[in-house]
Amino acid sequence: MGTSIIVEIVFLVFMIILTLTTNVITLLVIACTDYLRNINKVYLYSVTISDLCIGVFIFPFALYSAVINLYGTPEIDPKLCHIQAYLTVVLFLSGLYAIAWMNVDHYVAVRKPERYKVMMSPPRSLCWIAFAWIAAISFCCPPVLSYSEIDQYYTEVYLCAVNFGSEIPYFISAAILALLPAFLVLIITNVYLFTHGFRKKQKMYEAVLLDVSSRPRNYQINFIVSSIYAGTWLPWCITRIISYYVIIPDLIHFLTFWAAMGNGFYKFFVYITMSLEYRRGLQELVRMCCKVRRCCCCKPENRNPRQITAPANPTLAATRILTKPSTSGPPPANV
């Protein structure tokens, strides 16, 4: 038992490092380079910040819970458990909405390029993503405001889960309203990739719209990201449902859940493998870091203006001093 917990602790530490590192790199590529110009940066910022917050707030809580579980039964502060369960749901929903909006953005850009700048302008994108975050925050407001409900501790994954309690009808209706539109958007926008219309638009981009020719490619990349997202969460959902009727080993719970939570850093490897723009932005970021490092290492010479350096050839210096015209006497007479 102790050996398995140690392995799980090492696994969590590895995931924390990967999640924080990859998302910080992605944020720097977005902010410091201009290579991701054919991706809506508002939505990319949102999904990256959501993943980074998972690495900052959720993973360390699980690591802390696993460490204290190594020495006995964990005693988690109820308030801390309450906050962690709420943040997990909020960050999950915000990440899902951001991926869905990125799909919509690529769908509009490829299918209606002449109207894209109007339909997906930066102010409108900010409004849509702000609405998505408000919806994610509001989803769990009733159980958060009614603190009398005690959150459930999900022992197998070392996290707290929101306790539905007497609010099961609310959660069912809210889940339908919150999750169903996002899943429908992902299905509709991803199905368009396999139509004749998309292939026709792709050829048009490659032949005419050369400045934004990477748009169809970015659309396909986002399809891979959303497919990985759905494919990693589905096994855990099935495991969770079956566990109410059949006893499932704790390791299955742990692996399926944290494999799904690994979506926080899967995107980095998808981008670096499939996106030429992302690789160029990463190379530019490395060059910028190398320049900053060189500038920090190149220290200016400490020269004292009062210090007189002895000339290498004293005879030549004396000759220059003797032949230098005097400026103190009267000016020479004109002949």
Side-chain angles (χ1 to χ4, degrees):
M1 184 67 179
T3 306
S4 63
I5 295 178
I6 292 174
V7 173
E8 291 169 352
I9 289 173
V10 173
F11 180 78
L12 289 174
V13 171
F14 179 71
M15 291 194 67
I16 290 173
I17 294 172
L18 270 180
T19 303
L20 296 179
T21 305
T22 54
N23 285 286
V24 168
I25 291 173
T26 302
L27 284 177
L28 291 175
V29 171
I30 301 170
C32 301
T33 66
D34 195 32
Y35 284 94
L36 301 179
R37 63 176 67 91
N38 292 328
I39 299 177
N40 195 319
K41 291 186 178 182
V42 175
Y43 302 139
L44 191 56
Y45 267 124
S46 179
V47 70
T48 307
I49 290 173
S50 176
D51 293 337
L52 184 62
C53 289
I54 289 176
V56 171
F57 298 109
I58 309 305
F59 284 3
F61 181 90
L63 180 62
Y64 163 75
S65 178
V67 170
I68 63 175
N69 194 31
L70 183 62
Y71 298 100
T73 305
E75 296 180 1
I76 307 296
D77 185 3
K79 293 182 179 179
L80 187 63
C81 187
H82 205 63
I83 294 172
Q84 176 267 305
Y86 176 67
L87 283 178
T88 303
V89 177
V90 170
L91 296 175
F92 166 77
L93 289 176
S94 62
L96 176 62
Y97 292 154
I99 293 175
W101 274 115
M102 287 178 70
N103 262 30
V104 172
D105 181 80
H106 292 308
Y107 176 82
V108 174
V110 172
R111 191 165 187 178
K112 300 179 180 179
E114 69 280 358
R115 298 183 58 188
Y116 172 75
K117 290 185 178 180
V118 177
M119 296 177 65
M120 288 294 175
S121 61
R124 288 191 177 186
S125 300
L126 285 171
C127 290
W128 285 123
I129 209 65
F131 174 77
W133 276 92
I134 291 172
I137 293 171
S138 304
F139 178 76
C140 289
C141 276
V144 168
L145 296 177
S146 60
Y147 184 68
S148 57
E149 295 288 345
I150 301 175
D151 294 291
Q152 297 175 345
Y153 181 70
Y154 194 178
T155 310
E156 295 83 357
V157 300
Y158 308 110
L159 287 178
C160 296
V162 176
N163 185 14
F164 297 151
S166 60
E167 298 170 350
I168 293 179
Y170 162 78
F171 272 100
I172 293 175
S173 58
I176 293 173
L177 293 174
L179 298 177
L180 187 61
F183 285 124
L184 288 177
V185 165
L186 289 174
I187 293 171
I188 293 171
T189 54
N190 286 327
V191 166
Y192 177 69
L193 287 168
F194 302 95
T195 61
H196 176 70
F198 174 77
R199 291 190 291 271
K200 187 177 179 181
K201 292 287 185 179
Q202 188 176 15
K203 293 179 181 178
M204 184 195 70
Y205 267 88
E206 293 174 354
V208 181
L209 303 175
L210 299 178
D211 293 339
V212 289
S213 60
S214 61
R215 266 293 182 178
R217 180 63 174 175
N218 293 332
Y219 196 173
Q220 294 170 340
I221 292 172
N222 210 62
F223 165 73
I224 299 297
V225 170
S226 56
S227 300
I228 293 175
Y229 191 89
T232 51
W233 277 107
L234 185 61
W236 176 79
C237 293
I238 295 174
T239 302
R240 190 66 172 163
I241 293 172
I242 295 176
S243 64
Y244 288 105
Y245 306 98
V246 180
I247 298 176
I248 296 179
D250 296 349
L251 183 61
I252 302 298
H253 283 273
F254 182 86
L255 291 177
T256 54
F257 179 80
W258 289 110
M261 293 293 283
N263 280 284
F265 60 85
Y266 295 157
K267 302 179 188 68
F268 172 80
F269 297 103
V270 174
Y271 293 150
I272 203 171
T273 304
M274 301 184 65
S275 176
L276 178 61
E277 295 176 344
Y278 189 88
R279 290 197 297 270
R280 288 177 176 174
L282 191 59
Q283 291 172 0
E284 179 65 23
L285 183 65
V286 172
R287 283 194 293 266
M288 293 168 61
C289 293
C290 291
K291 288 180 181 179
V292 171
R293 186 176 179 181
R294 283 197 216 103
C295 293
C296 293
C297 293
C298 296
K299 298 180 180 179
E301 296 180 5
N302 186 14
R303 295 183 178 179
N304 190 354
R306 296 183 180 180
Q307 183 179 359
I308 301 175
T309 306
N313 192 346
T315 308
L316 179 61
T319 306
R320 288 178 180 175
I321 293 172
L322 292 174
T323 57
K324 184 178 180 181
S326 175
T327 57
S328 58
N334 294 328
V335 179

